[in-house]
Amino acid sequence: MRNSKLYKGSLNTIILKLLKEHDKMYGYEITQKVKTITKGELNITEGALYPALHKLEAEGLLDVEVVKVDNRLRKYYKLTETGSKETVNKLNELAEYIKTMQALVNPKLA
Amino acid sequence: MNSLSKDQIHFIDNYLENSDVLYADIRMEMVDHVGSAIEKQMKLQKTEDFYSVFKDYMVASKANLLENNKKFLRDVDKGIFKRLFRLLSKPRAIIAFILLVFISYKVMTINGHNSIVDIFYWFPNASIVPFLILYFVMLKVFKLSRFSGVERLVFVYMVFFQLLNLLRILFRGYFNSETANYVIISVVVSTMILIPIVLLQLTYHIMNQYRLKYKSI
């Protein structure tokens, strides 16, 4: 990843968006999905992903389900009703941000 | 190569526990993360050598995993304090506080302030007993693992225990004087009663939450 600071502020939105598209996901699955979609450009580390997931869970945006899979326990995350609403808000905010940045750095494309 | 065996998972779990990832909830998630990463790597490398892949993975990612653990514990502590203050600012707690102040004031006007001051001396010490009983019941009867939210409560209890003791030391001389103001005594004593009760309520909530969340284990 070239500049992790630029992506840091959008981590919650990325997680919420992925969970909106998938019924439920676990931590490692999220990191791999992001890696695949961004063709390896964005590599979310454990130290960034799990605190973000736990914060979203504490805020009531995510619900968890613990299931036994392949000899171990797996914690699945899914959106709550509030989480689904918040995802729409966050995506709109991000779209606005991208539009503003586009107008600033490349006015021709804006 | 399909998935890791029970022994291999147990090996990862032990390794993380020995690396100070003590609490079951965070370790469980890390074990799954490490296990999934190793399975993928073994598949890519077409190897059955679990220990070699594990060693390479830990060299590359251990610092990140432990950073996650540190952040997790900080967030757990913050979360407990936030929930405690939320409970204390609820109308129910405020009404209870006003009632306690009123009752203790009335008792003092009838029986003198020595009757209430006794509570002031034993309550902080006694307040730890219900927590220990609840902790024992959850761990032994409900077989709850060492979960972060439960164990970090001990830290929160210690902070408040020290605070209540400080209050006790600060007000001891004043409470024993004949000129002590009954309203001040009522407020201090009510604070000392309310905080442990709300803490106990929070302990029950947190323990029950873990019991329900991890009932499939």
Side-chain angles (χ1 to χ4, degrees):
Chain A
M1 185 168 49
R2 283 178 211 139
N3 191 342
S4 63
K5 279 184 187 164
L6 287 175
Y7 292 106
K8 216 176 171 182
S10 310
L11 182 57
N12 286 356
T13 315
I14 295 168
I15 294 169
L16 291 171
K17 166 86 168 115
L18 281 175
L19 289 169
K20 194 185 169 204
E21 289 166 354
H22 302 82
D23 178 38
K24 57 181 184 178
M25 292 178 96
Y26 57 97
Y28 184 75
E29 189 182 13
I30 294 174
T31 62
Q32 295 309 293
K33 196 80 193 169
V34 170
K35 209 171 167 183
T36 310
I37 294 171
T38 62
K39 298 186 176 76
E41 169 72 9
L42 184 53
N43 192 7
I44 305 178
T45 61
E46 300 89 330
L49 175 73
Y50 289 104
L53 283 169
H54 299 146
K55 197 165 175 259
L56 291 169
E57 185 193 342
E59 286 170 0
L61 303 181
L62 300 184
D63 206 359
V64 297
E65 190 188 337
V66 181
V67 182
K68 194 162 187 186
V69 179
D70 296 337
N71 299 318
R72 58 186 181 259
L73 295 167
R74 179 163 287 168
K75 195 173 173 183
Y76 280 101
Y77 293 89
K78 53 186 172 186
L79 286 178
T80 59
E81 212 173 297
T82 325
S84 300
K85 286 177 196 159
E86 188 60 19
T87 307
V88 178
N89 293 339
K90 290 256 185 205
L91 286 172
N92 287 339
E93 276 174 22
L94 189 63
E96 278 299 313
Y97 170 77
I98 293 167
K99 221 166 99 184
T100 311
M101 289 308 289
Q102 192 80 271
L104 280 169
V105 298
N106 203 344
K108 282 178 196 170
L109 289 172
Chain B
M1 168 74 214
N2 289 319
S3 53
L4 298 180
S5 68
K6 255 186 186 172
D7 286 344
Q8 288 164 334
I9 292 294
H10 191 63
F11 177 84
I12 300 172
D13 192 55
N14 264 344
Y15 180 87
L16 290 173
E17 194 173 8
N18 291 331
S19 304
D20 278 344
V21 186
L22 299 173
Y23 304 122
D25 41 351
I26 181 73
R27 204 169 65 244
M28 172 205 86
E29 203 162 27
M30 282 193 198
V31 168
D32 184 43
H33 190 100
V34 174
S36 302
I38 289 173
E39 279 170 0
K40 189 184 173 189
Q41 209 50 39
M42 285 169 81
K43 207 170 164 188
L44 280 173
Q45 291 178 12
K46 293 187 178 85
T47 177
E48 293 288 320
D49 189 355
F50 163 78
Y51 294 101
S52 153
V53 176
F54 174 81
K55 197 183 80 194
D56 291 345
Y57 179 82
M58 278 302 163
V59 168
S61 308
K62 190 175 178 182
N64 245 320
L65 282 170
L66 297 185
E67 177 58 24
N68 172 29
N69 187 43
K70 273 189 215 160
K71 277 188 195 167
F72 180 80
L73 294 181
R74 273 199 302 268
D75 288 345
V76 169
D77 291 342
K78 264 196 262 172
I80 293 174
F81 278 107
K82 263 191 201 168
R83 285 179 71 172
L84 182 68
F85 288 116
R86 226 178 287 148
L87 278 175
L88 281 169
S89 57
K90 276 195 170 179
R92 201 168 46 179
I94 295 167
I95 292 169
F97 179 73
I98 295 167
L99 271 175
L100 279 169
V101 171
F102 179 75
I103 293 167
S104 48
Y105 185 84
K106 274 282 166 205
V107 171
M108 277 190 288
T109 51
I110 298 165
N111 299 327
H113 72 288
N114 282 338
S115 53
I116 285 293
V117 167
D118 286 346
I119 296 175
F120 178 70
Y121 289 113
W122 61 258
F123 207 83
N125 294 322
S127 67
I128 210 91
V129 176
F131 169 74
L132 292 175
I133 294 170
L134 201 57
Y135 182 78
F136 181 80
V137 168
M138 285 292 175
L139 250 70
K140 298 291 172 191
V141 181
F142 292 109
K143 295 187 171 43
L144 205 66
S145 306
R146 289 188 65 189
F147 288 120
S148 59
V150 180
E151 302 255 333
R152 299 302 284 185
L153 270 168
V154 177
F155 166 68
V156 179
Y157 263 86
M158 288 321 290
V159 168
F160 278 96
F161 185 70
Q162 294 302 336
L163 266 175
L164 294 178
N165 263 329
L166 185 70
L167 265 179
R168 196 165 65 162
I169 293 162
L170 286 175
F171 282 87
R172 188 166 45 196
Y174 180 73
F175 275 23
N176 287 327
S177 74
E178 286 304 314
T179 53
N181 184 313
Y182 283 4
V183 176
I184 295 175
I185 299 178
S186 304
V187 169
V188 175
V189 168
S190 302
T191 308
M192 292 179 87
I193 296 174
L194 189 72
I195 291 177
I197 290 173
V198 174
L199 251 175
L200 200 65
Q201 188 190 356
L202 178 67
T203 306
Y204 177 73
H205 280 180
I206 291 177
M207 287 181 178
N208 219 21
Q209 205 176 311
Y210 275 109
R211 201 167 62 85
L212 295 173
K213 200 188 277 182
Y214 294 91
K215 66 182 173 195
S216 61
I217 299 174

